[in-house]
DNA sequence: CTGAAAGCGCTAACAG
DNA sequence: CTGTTAGCGCTTTCAG
């Protein structure tokens, strides 16, 4: 992609002072108020005037000052996105979804992650509150996030279901259903001994629920390991190793996420078991990891971009109507079948 | 980690209006200017006064308005970080490094990625310029970034060497040296036929240079594939497949990055070759991928956190002294030896 | 539809 | 060391 200079409008020949709304008005031969109206796309401006103003804006390379408009309007037209960890790339799609609805409306998004924020020792929302965001998207496990109870800025929780805290707008994936998809896929392939690698946290819990429900619905015996551990690769490795040391006859493993599935793959390799010939493996989240040709991991996709766009719409709605009733939206996930699953050995 | 309410200071019982510097001054029995001085940590304030002001700030839950101070001071105390792609996690360590020096000084950092920014069709720096950042860290390949030539805001290029464009402050890793470490590691293990998976882009080029230099220094014959392709997993796969279909006798592969190395692993697996017994593989970047127990990939670490902190210092320096001579800083990388490398088959 | 006037909350000279 | 005085660039009534 090529970026030409027209939009950057670097240091002009004249003095370095950035043009103000005043300069634009002067050049267009109108008053500052009119420029302000054009900027905000008011319909009450005649076409010739509008064009004159736009021309002046372009010629001057005018760029409205966010600071000034925030101060005057008492709103920043910006929202904050709080995520768990920049290393966990699920937020990228969420952000893309957010932007697809927020960008056209002229909103600014800033992102903070709990891991990095924790270094500073401040409340992770401090930065957002200092910059006076008009709204917040919380895309982190509520238990890890700061208390949201009596926050006076509109917010919506995205991606994770707020299990414990007070009522909030929530846009999330139906993870119980997603886990069901994984189990049903394995059942249809002919597996009868399907183990689940679980862990702590709201998502893991929902996925466990879905696993239990579907396994029982299929008339099978559940087998869960690692329920009280992390959801890291290491935890997946440990849990899977335990699985294949003790319980025999397991032909399929459903991991609470792709990272744990990676750990399971390591354990299988160590035990001399092949994937998918000996043991099928299913992950969750459909990360780039799963898509990788080397891993080629069957996984569940939560459609994070949709979660983002719906969350944006929900937030805009709440900002416009702070007292509207809370809404919770659950989106249906889908299965991405890949090479890590196959029929069990006969 | 527990966040208590003290810093959030949600809607107080009184009216919802946020306290201003004026309220603080009134409560502390001083003038607004004094409060402003305390805020900025001026030494010219008597201790009792300072404490009174601080107490008022705490009691009121006062939080200075960034918009107002930006407007009045004509600087935002914020810098922008431009990265290639949120999916490429190398920026996380850079950001950590940046924050380690910028946070204590009260700076705000906002991050934008070229991929997402491209969706909007705007110049990726537009958002930063609109919010009037005081400085910019460019952590993206210069050819992909918008033109920096006559940008009137101080910036430093981090992580990649600006090969083509004008003079700029640069803080980067010595990738030529890093590639040398990889090759020397393989040579010491006894490898004689060491192939390199390359690709386009400044980093890939530097790594290729380092490879060529070291291979020749060891008296070996260079063997490079994929030089004009991507640096993706798919490209690594294709290049490695070509390698093991045609050229025989290759016992070690040095990929331009970990992702390409992953592609190489897929190709090796397909050819029935084991890692490291038959073929050793070295990546670059020391991503979480490489650390993974399943992949356990020997890789080169660029010490990105140091790049971040040095870049921050460089930027602060340039902001303070815009006409200082340009400086380029190259940091030494190191080798992370793991299980994907071993002596060649005898 | 358009122009004038009054700040938003803070900083940065100054003069006390 | 402290208080006063002007704005920063924009939005928003409110009259023309």
């Amino acid at each position: 992609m090529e970026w030409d200079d027209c939009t950057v409008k670097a240091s002009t020949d004249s003095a370095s002072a950035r043009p103000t709304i005043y300069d634009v008005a002067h050049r267009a031969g109108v008053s500052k108020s009119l420029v302000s109206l054009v900027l905000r796309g008011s319909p009450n401006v005649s076409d010739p005037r509008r064009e004159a103003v736009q021309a002046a804006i372009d010629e001057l390379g005018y760029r409205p000052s966010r600071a000034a408009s925030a101060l005057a309007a008492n709103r920043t037209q910006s929202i904050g996105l709080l995520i768990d960890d920049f290393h966990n790339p699920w937020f990228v799609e969420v952000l893309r979804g957010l932007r697809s609805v927020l960008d056209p409306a002229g909103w600014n998004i800033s992102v903070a992650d709990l891991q990095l924020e924790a270094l500073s020792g401040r409340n992770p929302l401090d930065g957002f509150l200092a910059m006076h965001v008009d709204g917040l998207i919380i895309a982190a496990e509520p238990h890890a996030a700061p208390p949201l109870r009596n926050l006076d800025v509109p917010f919506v929780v995205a991606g994770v279901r707020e299990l414990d805290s007070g009522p909030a707008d929530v846009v999330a994936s139906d993870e119980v259903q997603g886990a069901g998809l994984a189990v049903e896929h394995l059942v249809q392939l002919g597996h009868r001994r399907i183990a689940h690698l679980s862990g702590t946290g709201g998502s893991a819990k929902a996925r466990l629920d879905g696993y239990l429900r579907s396994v029982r619905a299929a008339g099978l015996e559940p087998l869960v390991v690692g329920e009280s551990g992390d959801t890291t690769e290491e935890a997946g490795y440990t849990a899977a190793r335990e699985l294949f040391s003790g319980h025999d006859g397991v032909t399929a493993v459903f991991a609470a996420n792709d990272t744990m599935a990676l750990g399971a793959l390591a354990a299988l390799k160590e035990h001399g078991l092949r994937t998918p010939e000996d043991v099928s493996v299913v992950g969750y989240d459909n990360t780039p990891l799963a898509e990788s040709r080397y891993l080629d991991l069957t996984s569940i996709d939560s459609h994070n971009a949709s979660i983002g766009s719906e969350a944006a719409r929900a937030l805009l709605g709440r900002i416009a109507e702070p007292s509207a009733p809370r809404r919770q939206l659950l989106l249906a996930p889908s299965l991405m079948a890949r090479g890590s699953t196959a029929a069990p050995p006969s």
Side-chain angles (χ1 to χ4, degrees), chain A:
Chain A
M1 189 141 188
E2 286 292 310
W3 308 107
D4 48 31
D5 286 321
C6 66
T7 46
V8 166
K9 193 58 189 173
S11 53
T12 44
D13 37 0
S14 64
S16 61
R18 262 176 41 156
T20 75
I21 199 173
Y22 196 94
D23 302 318
V24 174
H26 185 240
R27 176 154 194 143
V30 300
S31 77
K32 305 151 231 167
S33 330
L34 207 246
V35 177
S36 183
L37 288 178
V38 170
L39 250 35
R40 211 139 24 82
S42 161
N44 301 339
V45 179
S46 65
D47 276 357
R49 299 272 194 182
R50 179 188 306 283
E51 282 157 22
V53 169
Q54 192 56 54
I57 287 175
D58 293 344
E59 287 160 24
L60 261 33
Y62 168 76
R63 201 187 298 281
S65 154
R66 285 205 165 256
S69 79
L71 190 56
N74 197 34
R75 88 186 117 59
T76 53
Q77 283 278 85
S78 69
I79 69 118
L81 169 64
L82 182 71
I83 65 173
D84 264 318
D85 183 357
F86 275 127
H87 278 113
N88 187 341
W90 83 278
F91 83 90
V92 184
E93 286 307 302
V94 173
L95 183 52
R96 184 194 306 282
L98 287 172
R99 294 193 56 150
S100 72
V101 357
L102 261 19
D103 272 359
W107 290 77
N108 237 23
I109 304 177
S110 63
V111 191
D113 105 318
L114 285 171
Q115 303 299 314
L116 254 34
E117 221 60 41
L119 301 177
S120 68
R122 303 174 318 180
N123 182 298
L125 295 179
D126 241 39
F128 289 149
L129 297 180
M131 70 190 290
H132 229 36
V133 294
D134 297 334
L136 243 20
I137 305 275
I138 308 294
E141 297 263 356
H143 76 88
L148 273 19
R149 333 206 186 286
N150 44 18
L151 206 55
D152 57 357
V153 45
F155 69 94
V156 358
V157 174
V160 291
R161 272 176 292 185
E162 181 107 338
L163 296 164
D164 47 353
S165 90
D169 292 296
V170 175
V171 177
S173 175
D174 188 340
E175 296 176 286
V176 173
Q177 185 190 339
L181 292 176
V183 171
E184 283 152 26
H185 172 62
L186 292 168
V187 168
Q188 271 165 27
L189 286 171
H191 294 273
R192 310 293 298 164
R193 286 291 279 162
I194 302 169
H196 180 49
L197 309 186
S198 189
T200 55
S203 278
K205 178 158 182 357
R207 293 166 191 188
L208 171 58
D209 283 359
Y211 163 81
L212 291 175
R213 225 175 269 195
S214 299
V215 160
R216 288 181 181 134
L220 305 176
E221 194 65 27
L223 173 54
V224 178
V225 283
E227 199 172 346
S228 59
D230 271 345
T231 51
T232 58
E233 189 202 350
E234 194 57 29
Y237 167 78
T238 309
R241 205 167 55 159
E242 175 188 335
L243 200 60
F244 290 98
S245 311
H247 316 273
D248 250 19
V250 170
T251 62
V253 174
F254 167 45
N257 63 41
D258 290 345
T259 306
M260 291 190 81
L262 192 60
L265 290 176
L268 288 172
K269 191 188 192 181
E270 202 174 286
H271 280 264
L273 294 165
R274 292 161 307 162
T275 306
E277 294 84 348
D278 301 315
V279 178
S280 287
V281 175
V282 181
Y284 204 119
D285 291 337
N286 197 29
T287 56
L289 221 56
E291 288 181 59
S292 128
R293 179 188 282 276
Y294 184 53
L295 300 178
D296 199 30
L297 192 63
T298 295
S299 192
I300 307 294
D301 190 313
S302 294
H303 303 303
N304 291 316
S306 302
I307 290 178
S309 53
E310 288 303 332
R313 274 186 268 274
L315 183 58
L316 257 23
R318 174 134 322 272
I319 289 172
E321 192 67 75
S323 59
R326 311 285 163 179
R327 298 181 352 102
Q328 317 231 136
L329 184 59
L330 277 195
L331 272 45
S334 37
L335 175 84
M336 304 299 292
R338 296 207 181 80
S340 68
T341 46
S346 47

